[in-house]
Amino acid sequence: MAEPPTADERVLAVLRASGVFGSLEEPVLQDLGRFLHLQTIPGGAVVLREGEPAETMFFLVSGRLRVSRRDAQGVLQLYNEIRPGESVGEAGLILQQARAADITALRDSTLAMLGRADFERLLVLHPLALNKVFAQAIFNHLRHASQAVERRHAQIFVVVPLDAGTAAHEVAQGLTRACAVFGRAYQVPPDAQSMVDPSATGAWSGKDRYDDLEEQYDFLIYEADPRSLSWAKRAFRQADQVVFVARHDGPAATGELEHLLAREPGYEMKRKHLVVLHPADADMPAGLMHWRDGRDVERVYPIRSRHVGDYARLARFLHGKAVGVVLGGGGARGFAHLGVLRALEQAGIVVDMVGGNSMGALLGAQYACGWPLDEIRDRTVRFARGGERPTLPVISIVSGRRVERDLRRMFGERTVDQSWLPFFATACNLSRACTTVQDSGPLWRAVLASNSPVGLFPPVLHKGDLLVDGAILENVPVAAMRARLGTPLEKRRGNGTVIAIDVDVRDYMGVDPAWPRLSVRRTIQGYFRRGEPASPGIGDILYRASHIGGLHQRARTMVQADHYLEPPVASFALMGYGRAEKIAEVGYRYAMQEIERWTRPATRA
């Protein structure tokens, strides 16, 4: 068996793989490696602080670092990660600039440091070669170019039980199997404690078994154990992301191990999640919102024991591969959403989160409940045919009581967060002049608020605010989906894939130019006489007015989505609920063609 590489050999391997320093000739690399000093940094420790003088640069040999800053209000802003093989600080060292940001060790990390005095000695030995590569490094710095090298390093998760009775082993095992779809995955059990802890010795002890694992695998899943606090802390320090695990009927209060890890340095730098484990035969998850109280977690995941699909969804969210589908409003034309969803299912594209507005919220809520697509279509047709009673037009034209009653019957006492598939609905908050994302509370109320066109239906009251159909500001709520798929604290566009479906036809609303004004008589006659120029009624006018915002910002919404679908449904009437099956079929055929374009291999001309 080959001997493991020495410290010097590891540093040289990093230098050779560097996008900038790898261009140096071997004798220069050897001298550079000779002047580098290895330093071990425990996970959570601050490596560099913003504003400090730049007296050193370094190469990351192993581990993971995080770049961050705090804004003027003191709010933490997380930026990119620094991975093994990348260099940091060369521009500041040469230009003698102060540090531009904080850099914190996400894991126990080994750095190869180069101080200013050694840097100047190297320049005397190899002035031409080193000036060239350092000039390139400064050029990359000024262009914000990445020096990331093409070396594979594992993503590391730690599964932390909130109490001793929680089946953390099952979650770690399920997550490992789900991650294996994306690459090589390995579960690190809690009894693997024979490794040397660099933070205990204060000195770098060479390459250990866990460095080997990180190079051999794409995903490492550490399993913490509350009976071994030293192992839990060590596993936590190595992790990029933390997955807390609780039983659905267990205590929701923060536990001892959770408090212990929260005091570890670098806790706030790590992405944190919470899995709430349910029985395998659970019909629906318990309410999840109370699990967030007192916790800084990115997302709460309801998971059924040994349910492959639930673990697969968890892995996609953690790996940044989740798929979010956004359904816009558009009356009966919204049945095209069902056709698109059927096409996605047939293409093997699994939906990990669904959000919607208006008709999209009504259909999306049912889809999140797990109901079959044909059943959703039939339920919605019956719901739409229920009619609504006019009322004294002081607050609205119709009372909305029948719609509220039928939505209560449809969804019962289920809350928005009581579904295995995450769901949200949007509404326009008239009180605060913004879009409100409804991801908690009664499901029927969220759907009702999103389906209450301003002026036609009365606003839905929520904590004193007035909520109406969200199309006033955004009919296809892509921004809300993008925020929920991405990492909330990180300054980047977001992870995952957003598929937006827009069925709001942008047709022309006008009348005969010779008409001096709109006439009530002409409008009523238009309902019975075919072939005459259409005169818009109050329903048409209110609908168009309530969708102006969404239509106006359609271009911006399209840019935010990865795939923007516009099924050809202009020929269908806004109230054509009797043609639901046909509309869904149009959406299906259109989506199948679009999906084929997404998945078709690129060919050279």
Side-chain angles (χ1 to χ4, degrees), residues 327-367:
L327 313 178
R333 296 161 179 161
F335 285 112
H337 294 317
L338 301 182
V340 175
L341 291 171
R342 178 159 66 98
L344 293 174
E345 290 179 356
Q346 290 190 10
I349 300 174
V350 182
V351 177
D352 295 305
M353 178 180 287
V354 62
N357 176 66
S358 194
M359 181 65 158
L362 175 59
L363 297 173
Q366 297 176 75
Y367 189 72

Side-chain angles (χ1 to χ4, degrees), residues 285-549:
L288 302 176
M289 294 307 297
H290 69 286
W291 287 99
R292 288 186 172 274
D293 294 343
R295 286 189 174 91
D296 174 27
V297 292
E298 188 174 304
R299 190 173 286 106
V300 180
Y301 306 83
I303 286 185
R304 288 161 286 192
S305 179
R306 299 181 297 280
H307 194 283
V308 175
D310 289 352
Y311 281 111
R313 175 170 293 117
L314 171 64
R316 287 191 293 271
F317 270 111
L318 298 184
H319 188 39
K321 300 293 185 181
V323 175
V325 174
V326 187
L327 313 178
R333 296 161 179 161
F335 285 112
H337 294 317
L338 301 182
V340 175
L341 291 171
R342 178 159 66 98
L344 293 174
E345 290 179 356
Q346 290 190 10
I349 300 174
V350 182
V351 177
D352 295 305
M353 178 180 287
V354 62
N357 176 66
S358 194
M359 181 65 158
L362 175 59
L363 297 173
Q366 297 176 75
Y367 189 72
C369 290
W371 299 338
L373 293 174
D374 289 346
E375 182 180 329
I376 295 174
R377 181 197 63 212
D378 295 341
R379 282 174 178 263
T380 306
V381 169
R382 289 195 299 270
F383 171 80
R385 287 174 172 170
E388 187 56 84
R389 293 182 178 180
T391 186
L392 188 65
V394 175
I395 298 173
S396 59
I397 294 176
V398 299
S399 67
R401 294 185 181 278
R402 194 281 305 176
V403 170
E404 178 179 334
R405 181 200 68 203
D406 287 357
L407 286 177
R408 284 177 176 268
R409 288 176 179 174
M410 181 181 292
F411 297 112
E413 298 304 314
R414 184 190 293 255
T415 57
V416 177
D417 58 341
Q418 282 186 297
S419 62
W420 308 110
L421 175 66
F423 167 76
F424 67 84
T426 57
C428 175
N429 190 318
L430 293 180
S431 304
R432 303 179 187 275
C434 66
T435 296
T436 292
V437 178
Q438 303 167 94
D439 53 11
S440 63
L443 183 56
W444 67 264
R445 188 180 65 194
V447 175
L448 177 62
S450 194
N451 280 271
S452 295
V454 63
L456 187 60
F457 280 71
V460 172
L461 304 184
H462 178 56
K463 297 181 180 180
D465 290 349
L466 280 64
L467 306 183
V468 296
D469 190 317
I472 294 178
L473 295 176
E474 189 177 17
N475 188 43
V476 187
V478 171
M481 179 63 75
R482 177 61 69 191
R484 278 154 181 76
L485 282 189
T487 307
L489 290 178
E490 291 197 13
K491 307 302 290 180
R492 59 184 181 181
R493 186 185 182 204
N495 296 321
T497 300
V498 176
I499 302 173
I501 310 169
D502 190 350
V503 295
D504 194 15
V505 178
R506 190 169 186 169
D507 51 3
Y508 174 73
M509 174 181 282
V511 298
D512 189 328
W515 293 358
R517 62 192 304 272
L518 293 179
S519 164
V520 173
R521 184 181 66 179
R522 187 181 290 116
T523 301
I524 295 175
Q525 289 175 345
Y527 294 143
F528 303 101
R529 296 180 182 177
R530 295 183 178 180
E532 290 191 4
S535 178
I538 187 171
D540 302 313
I541 296 171
L542 287 175
Y543 180 85
R544 174 51 65 92
S546 66
H547 283 238
I548 283 292

Side-chain angles (χ1 to χ4, degrees), residues 236 244 258 261-270 272 296:
F236 170 82
F244 293 108
E258 198 173 359
L261 296 181
R263 294 193 293 270
E264 285 290 295
Y267 178 82
E268 62 184 354
M269 297 291 175
K270 297 181 186 288
K272 294 172 285 294
D296 174 27

